[in-house]
Structures are given as structure tokens and as C-alpha cells.
Amino acid sequence: MAAISNDWLVPLAAEFKKPYYASLYRKVKEEYERGTVYPAPDDLFSAFHLTPLSEVKVVILGQDPYHEPGQAHGLCFSVKPGIDIPPSLVNIYQELHDDLGLKIPDNGCLTPWARQGVLLLNTILTVRAHEAFSHRGIGWEEFTDAVIRILNEQDRPMVFLLWGKPAQMKKAMLTNPKHLALTAPHPSPLSAYRGFFGCRHFSKANEFLKAGGLTPINWQIPDIGRSNNL
């Protein structure tokens, strides 16, 4: 599995030494050896590689990776270029269009967000092919809770976008008054019409960042035909 080597390493070092992480590492390694697991091992920590701790401005929490071929690449809600845009991301793009007037792009790769300081963090980082939540309860939740605690300790404005009940349950961990936590129903087609549409989280996040003296996020995902930055 790809190792974390940037400024996340020092605050996370204690986690890597704990018994739960040793057990988690063994289980995940066995799963990769036994069958198909997503994302690929080299993409496992993509969210951390692409968004150093010192650059995090916005955190979006997902649940577990997409579990069908070619989709997951280590960023929540994101899929690789050339893969059909999943329904939840279709709804995220619709809200971006309604909130900020952005063009709906031709791809679902959210790497440009990650490079601007949007940490796209799943609370479970691996999944068995075709089996949603198959790696729930093996230790990832303890690891990503540690990540959330580290983020909560950062002494600068930061926005957390918590969509759906599992993400909203993490709000109790966010005690830093410098941060903003915004909650809404999940963008899934099953719940988006219950309040995700119209939440205006993207403009609210940018307004908060600007008020804190930070550069807002350019939420426009470029079409693949116009950009080599994915």
C-alpha cells in the first residue's frame, strides 16, 4: 500500500503504531491478495497525497469507496476520467450549477478540488469489489476519526461539509470555533430532494473562507477536453 509521506505523516505517526492499525494493515493486505479491492493500492491514500494537511480548507466526508470497476481512486465522490458520473455526483454538480451557476462538466474526476485544498475523505478507505461497506468495522473508522481530530485541532478557518447521517455523526468531534460545519441530506437520488438541493454549501463555504482571509475554492471542474490537469 502507498505510504503517506507529506505533512500528514507526523500527526498520524502515532496511529500507525497502534495495535488496531497493525490489524487493519494485515486485513487489508490479505484482502488485496485474495481478491479485487478498490481503490488500487497506490490510490489508497490519494486524498492525503493530493491535499497536504497544511493546505486543507474544506473537508467533504464520504462513506466508503465506489465498488465497481474503474471508479474508485481514493477521493470520495470522485471517479476516474472516462467513467460514467455516479448519481450522487450528478446531484452535486446540479447543486453547484444552481448555487454558483457553474457548467456541469463532462467527467467526474474531482482531483482539481483536491489540489486546491478540498480533502475528499471517505471514512472507510477500501471496499471489496461489488460489496458496498464490506470493509466496515475492520479499523478504518478509527483511523479516519483520528484524521478528523487532527483537522479539528488546526488553528485556521476550515469548512466541513457533512452530507447524510453518517457524516453528520462526526459533527460532535468538530469543537474548534474557528471552523464551520455545514450539514445537509446526502446527495444520493434517494435523499437529495430532502434538502441537499438548495443547501448552497459551496457558496457558503467560499464566503466563510473569504471572510477568514483565504482564497475561495474554484468549484468548476474542467471538461477533460479542455484540461490536462486531472
Side-chain angles (χ1 to χ4, degrees), residues 64-126:
D64 70 335
Y66 296 121
H67 54 267
E68 296 302 327
Q71 292 181 311
H73 64 128
L75 306 177
C76 73
F77 293 107
S78 181
V79 292
K80 295 178 182 179
I83 299 297
D84 288 345
I85 302 172
S88 291
L89 186 52
V90 168
N91 288 339
I92 290 170
Y93 284 165
Q94 184 62 53
E95 176 60 21
L96 272 167
H97 172 75
D98 296 344
D99 184 11
L100 293 170
L102 301 189
K103 179 185 182 294
I104 294 176
D106 65 1
N107 70 94
C109 184
L110 303 181
T111 300
W113 290 1
R115 288 181 172 150
Q116 293 180 75
V118 181
L119 182 69
L120 297 164
L121 179 68
N122 280 314
T123 54
I124 301 166
L125 299 189
T126 54

Side-chain angles (χ1 to χ4, degrees), residues 15-79:
E15 298 305 306
F16 297 135
K17 297 173 184 175
K18 291 180 179 179
Y20 89 85
Y21 192 86
S23 172
L24 169 64
Y25 183 90
R26 284 194 302 272
K27 287 174 184 173
V28 171
K29 187 171 182 289
E30 288 169 4
E31 287 280 300
Y32 275 116
E33 290 169 351
R34 246 189 249 151
T36 303
V37 170
Y38 301 121
D42 287 347
D43 288 334
L44 181 56
F45 291 123
S46 287
F48 301 92
H49 297 155
L50 288 167
T51 314
L53 176 59
S54 60
E55 297 177 15
V56 176
K57 296 178 180 178
V58 178
V59 180
I60 299 178
L61 287 182
Q63 296 179 36
D64 70 335
Y66 296 121
H67 54 267
E68 296 302 327
Q71 292 181 311
H73 64 128
L75 306 177
C76 73
F77 293 107
S78 181
V79 292

Side-chain angles (χ1 to χ4, degrees), residues 99-100 159 180 200-214 216-217 219:
D99 184 11
L100 293 170
V159 186
L180 174 66
R200 302 195 67 228
H201 278 187
F202 302 102
S203 59
K204 289 176 182 178
N206 276 355
E207 288 162 8
F208 181 79
L209 293 174
K210 286 189 284 187
L214 297 173
I217 303 299
W219 294 105

